[in-house]
Amino acid sequence: MKHILGLLVFACFAASAGAQEGGRLPPPVAAALRAADIPQDAVAVVVQEAGESAPRLNVNGRAAMNPASTIKLLTTFAALELLGPAHAWVTQALAAAPVGEDGVLAGDLYLKGSGDPKLTFEQFWLLLRGLRARGVRDIRGDLVLDRAALRPNGHDPAAFDGKPTRPYNVGPDALLLNFKTIRLALAPDAAGKSVRVLPEPMPANVDLVNALRLRNNGCGDWQESLRADLSERGGRYRLSLTGAYSAACGEKTWNVAALPHDRYVLGVFAQLWRELGGRFEGGVRDGETPAAARVLTFVESPALAEIVRDINKFSNNVMARQLYLALGRDAGGRPEDAEAVLRRWLAARKLDFPELVLENGAGLSRQERISAANLVRLLAEAWQSPVMPELMSSLPVVAIDGTMKKRLKENGVAGRAHVKTGYLEGARAIAGYVLDARGRRQIVVCFINHPNARAAQPALDALLAWVYDG
């Protein structure tokens, strides 16, 4: 009954707002949509000058739509305000047993994570280098992972689209090391008629089998012709690479998400510890850090302002999911409080979004919903916020960087718009700010939810060009 009443309330809200809509799409946008065979009722567009209350353009603005990755704007704006731009996460190495003068740790080594969204391979190396600098050489116990800050929740990396090795499907974790990925540099060797594979990191518990073939046709969508398969036997993993790679592609990077979180941490730890001259022959297990354990060394994440930049510029899904859960834990007490924290924050700003549906705050979701009009309201609030500079600078700059780097390079809007992009199968979106030709800052949001959404980029680009032209 509560669900039905909620739907009735939203239906009344949408109907009353719909009378104020009915705008017509700009001709270049409408033409691009017709070419993609996308009807107007699958599109929601709102354009409004920052500081103004009435939109310049409103087409289906109150419709509840899948925003894809543009929902990251809600997560990152809330995080900047609630946690602060200088917020950081700490990863600690601890021990309950003593470290002898001979460098022997006669017990377990505890790694305690706090949900750092950017615990990279390089940061982890610094953590282990800190252990060696403090005299630890031989670890006689196990590696114990304290992941209590973000308890593993049975995340299935294949659940979203059946592609478990794609980095965007990695789930959140208190010890999210290097986004749980192996970076494979692919280097074609025309003389040897082969493809060299240069992995980093190379976990000590993984055997890499390179069965890639070199071909000589065009590059195209090169990654679609490659396959990575992971198998396990006796605690060791086998990563088999198959498919054909074109010499025309030159050297490219292929990121593969492999191994369960705990086994990935074990493998990278063992690799780096050996390279640093240490000794370790133990296993890995989850566990809580004893109260009597002392901190041997630690590393701190970059500030949240930098984290948000990586999330929005490159649409990093797992970083966004980490941040969403951090909002729940740090501003609400538990990771699972994230949605409640966000809704309280919206209510405190008198932002009532009755159509809002949240799942993970990253946009990698078939369920998440928001209207274009309300995302414009959110961006208008951000424009007046003390954290506006941090949020705006985190957005891709059209024709310059991030996910907008290759778009609209020959248009006047190049370099004059900060725009977050979103893309899922069946959904495409943009949201952000455009400094138009007359020097006015325009807020623009456009959602396209349709089976042909993958063909909608020309329409979105046409909209940005139209907004810029004023």
Side-chain angles (χ1 to χ4, degrees), residues 107 134 140 252 315 317 460:
R134 286 158 178 78
R140 297 289 172 88
K252 289 191 177 294
S315 208
N317 287 299
L460 296 174

Side-chain angles (χ1 to χ4, degrees), residues 214-282:
L214 188 67
R215 56 184 172 87
N216 293 312
N217 55 345
C219 187
D221 194 357
W222 59 273
Q223 196 167 326
E224 290 301 316
S225 64
L226 305 181
R227 182 182 174 94
D229 294 295
L230 186 71
S231 59
E232 184 267 339
R233 183 175 181 180
R236 288 199 64 80
Y237 292 84
R238 179 186 178 98
L239 183 62
S240 300
L241 309 179
T242 55
Y245 183 75
S246 173
C249 294
E251 186 167 325
K252 289 191 177 294
T253 298
W254 180 22
N255 291 305
V256 174
L259 283 68
H261 277 281
D262 56 345
R263 300 294 159 175
Y264 180 84
V265 174
L266 172 65
V268 176
F269 175 88
Q271 173 201 355
L272 289 178
W273 195 244
R274 182 176 62 233
E275 291 176 0
L276 288 166
R279 179 180 171 84
F280 171 73
E281 295 181 358

Side-chain angles (χ1 to χ4, degrees), residues 40-387:
Q40 180 169 311
D41 62 7
V43 181
V45 182
V46 177
V47 179
Q48 181 174 308
E49 185 175 348
E52 298 293 328
S53 58
R56 170 185 168 192
L57 174 67
N58 185 349
V59 179
N60 302 325
R62 292 293 178 182
M65 304 279 278
N66 187 327
S69 283
T70 61
I71 199 67
K72 290 180 173 74
L73 293 169
L74 172 59
T75 301
T76 53
F77 177 25
L80 284 167
E81 285 215 333
L82 292 171
L83 303 179
H87 183 84
W89 292 260
V90 174
T91 303
Q92 299 174 320
L94 310 95
V99 178
E101 293 184 2
D102 57 357
V104 173
L105 172 59
D108 298 327
L109 177 70
Y110 295 85
L111 296 182
K112 186 173 184 178
S114 64
D116 183 351
K118 197 178 179 182
L119 181 60
T120 62
F121 181 60
E122 294 82 4
Q123 284 288 93
F124 196 58
W125 178 89
L126 287 174
L127 180 74
L128 302 192
R129 184 67 187 86
L131 280 176
R132 289 291 287 121
R134 286 158 178 78
V136 181
R137 179 183 55 82
D138 189 351
I139 300 168
R140 297 289 172 88
D142 288 335
L143 191 62
V144 182
L145 309 182
D146 188 337
R147 304 157 76 190
L150 293 180
R151 291 283 185 192
N153 60 358
H155 172 78
D156 179 5
F160 183 73
D161 58 5
K163 298 177 180 179
T165 63
R166 294 293 177 93
Y168 59 76
N169 279 323
V170 172
D173 196 273
L175 278 164
L176 178 68
L177 173 57
N178 206 51
F179 316 120
K180 209 191 76 166
T181 61
I182 299 174
R183 178 183 181 274
L184 304 171
L186 306 182
D189 180 359
K193 298 182 180 179
S194 62
V195 182
R196 292 186 66 201
V197 178
L198 310 172
E200 192 68 82
M202 188 63 249
N205 52 355
V206 175
D207 297 314
L208 183 67
V209 179
N210 176 13
L212 296 176
R213 307 184 314 276
L214 188 67
R215 56 184 172 87
N216 293 312
N217 55 345
C219 187
D221 194 357
W222 59 273
Q223 196 167 326
E224 290 301 316
S225 64
L226 305 181
R227 182 182 174 94
D229 294 295
L230 186 71
S231 59
E232 184 267 339
R233 183 175 181 180
R236 288 199 64 80
Y237 292 84
R238 179 186 178 98
L239 183 62
S240 300
L241 309 179
T242 55
Y245 183 75
S246 173
C249 294
E251 186 167 325
K252 289 191 177 294
T253 298
W254 180 22
N255 291 305
V256 174
L259 283 68
H261 277 281
D262 56 345
R263 300 294 159 175
Y264 180 84
V265 174
L266 172 65
V268 176
F269 175 88
Q271 173 201 355
L272 289 178
W273 195 244
R274 182 176 62 233
E275 291 176 0
L276 288 166
R279 179 180 171 84
F280 171 73
E281 295 181 358
V284 65
R285 68 178 191 275
D286 287 336
E288 292 189 8
T289 304
R294 67 196 184 284
V295 177
L296 299 177
T297 188
F298 67 92
V299 289
E300 189 173 272
S301 76
L304 177 58
E306 182 178 333
I307 296 288
V308 164
R309 185 182 187 277
D310 284 349
I311 289 172
N312 286 333
K313 289 280 188 189
F314 305 104
S315 208
N316 190 301
N317 287 299
V318 67
M319 290 180 74
R321 296 180 71 167
Q322 294 272 118
L323 184 58
Y324 180 76
L325 295 175
L327 278 172
R329 185 188 67 243
D330 297 340
R334 304 176 304 166
E336 54 266 35
D337 292 333
E339 181 175 348
V341 166
L342 275 169
R343 291 186 182 276
R344 285 199 301 269
W345 174 76
L346 288 170
R349 283 187 157 276
K350 296 182 171 54
L351 294 173
D352 180 23
F353 297 173
E355 82 288 0
L356 179 66
V357 178
L358 291 169
E359 183 180 10
N360 54 43
L364 194 69
S365 167
R366 308 293 183 196
Q367 285 76 46
E368 289 186 324
R369 295 290 186 274
I370 194 171
S371 68
N374 279 335
L375 189 51
V376 164
R377 290 176 65 198
L378 184 80
L379 291 174
E381 285 288 315
W383 181 250
Q384 303 296 330
S385 170
V387 300

